[in-house]
């Protein structure tokens, strides 16, 4: 299988985002954005998915975090799509539960070629630069641009930091398995249609 690496940059009047990822990495992260908690979550995403992830993001943070969060998610999603290619030989689907103290999240990933996010962060709070509502929007934007189906639910929790972090770790673990190479598949595309792109 060829290297599953993607590198994409996107510049708009609001943000400048560069992302590089390697699906077959060691979980290394080089993250530089103006949003501290998102940096922490992107480190967790890399660590628990075992992909190497480099993110450099700047944006009009004086207007709030929305544009930078959304555009970072867009570029990561596009990198995932590019790195997966036609999806030949991947496991494709995975479901993971991950706790963090009192919080528990469940993530189901299907690299189906169809972007369809269903996200419940367990809170609609929009307080802070990377609130549960911003995290919801991050996952929605990433799944839409990455063209994968994501069902992500925070099942319980009281501490919003724990709730968001458990969600990222659950997603990362599901991503790691779904994107992994299935040796038994012998390089076949995991779809009765024979394609994940149409």
């Amino acid at each position: 299988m060829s290297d599953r690496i993607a590198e994409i940059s996107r510049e708009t009047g609001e943000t400048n985002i560069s992302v590089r990822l390697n699906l077959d990495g060691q979980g290394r992260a080089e993250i530089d954005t103006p949003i501290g908690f998102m940096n922490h979550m992107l480190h967790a995403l890399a660590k628990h998915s075992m992909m190497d992830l480099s993110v450099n993001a700047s944006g009009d943070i004086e207007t709030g975090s929305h544009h930078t969060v959304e555009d970072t998610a867009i570029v990561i999603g596009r990198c995932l799509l590019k790195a997966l290619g036609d999806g030949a030989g991947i496991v494709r689907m995975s479901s993971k539960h991950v706790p963090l103290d009192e919080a528990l999240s469940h993530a189901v990933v299907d690299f189906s070629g169809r972007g369809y996010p269903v996200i419940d962060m367990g809170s609609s709070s929009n307080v802070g630069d990377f609130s549960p509502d911003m995290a919801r929007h991050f996952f929605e934007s990433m799944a839409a641009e990455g063209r994968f189906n994501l069902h992500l639910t925070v099942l319980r929790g009281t501490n919003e930091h724990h709730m968001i972090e458990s969600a990222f770790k659950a997603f990362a673990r599901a991503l790691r398995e779904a994107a992994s190479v299935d040796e038994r598949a012998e390089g076949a595309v995991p779809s009765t249609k024979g394609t994940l792109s149409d």
Side-chain angles (χ1 to χ4, degrees):
M1 178 171 285
S2 61
D3 291 342
R4 301 192 302 164
I5 297 171
E7 187 168 2
I8 296 175
S9 295
R10 179 176 186 262
E11 185 173 2
T12 72
E14 298 168 339
T15 64
N16 189 346
I17 315 290
S18 294
V19 173
R20 186 181 191 276
L21 63 80
N22 177 2
L23 287 174
D24 301 309
Q26 300 297 317
R28 301 184 185 96
E30 296 179 3
I31 311 297
D32 183 12
T33 87
I35 304 167
F37 190 30
M38 184 168 73
N39 292 346
H40 180 38
M41 292 302 94
L42 294 177
H43 274 95
L45 173 59
K47 185 70 172 179
H48 291 276
S49 67
M50 291 299 290
M51 70 176 174
D52 294 339
L53 178 64
S54 174
V55 178
N56 191 286
S58 60
D60 56 350
I61 203 72
E62 68 277 2
T63 69
S65 63
H66 184 277
H67 296 150
T68 303
V69 170
E70 178 180 66
D71 290 2
T72 298
I74 286 171
V75 181
I76 292 174
R78 290 177 182 176
C79 278
L80 285 170
L81 180 64
K82 183 177 179 181
L84 283 165
D86 64 3
I90 65 170
V91 172
R92 177 180 158 176
M93 298 169 230
S94 180
S95 171
K96 297 294 181 184
H97 285 87
V98 171
L100 179 56
D101 295 347
E102 89 297 343
L104 177 66
S105 293
H106 181 223
V108 183
V109 171
D110 178 8
F111 287 116
S112 60
R114 297 180 302 281
Y116 200 109
V118 180
I119 314 296
D120 182 352
M121 293 301 299
S123 168
S124 59
S125 172
N126 200 21
V127 177
D129 288 338
F130 201 66
S131 63
D133 192 58
M134 277 290 93
R136 173 194 57 78
H137 189 55
F138 177 94
F139 285 117
E140 287 176 345
S141 299
M142 181 174 53
E145 293 293 326
R147 294 176 62 182
F148 60 89
N149 190 192
L150 173 62
H151 287 254
L152 178 60
T153 306
V154 176
L155 298 170
R156 65 179 63 93
T158 55
N159 182 298
E160 290 182 348
H161 182 131
H162 293 172
M163 293 160 72
I164 294 169
E165 187 166 346
S166 70
F168 266 83
K169 289 177 178 177
F171 168 70
R173 288 285 171 157
L175 164 65
R176 176 177 174 177
E177 183 172 82
S180 67
V181 176
D182 184 351
E183 299 296 340
R184 295 173 63 195
E186 298 182 341
V189 173
S191 171
T192 55
K193 294 187 299 183
T195 179
L196 296 175
S197 60
D198 296 319

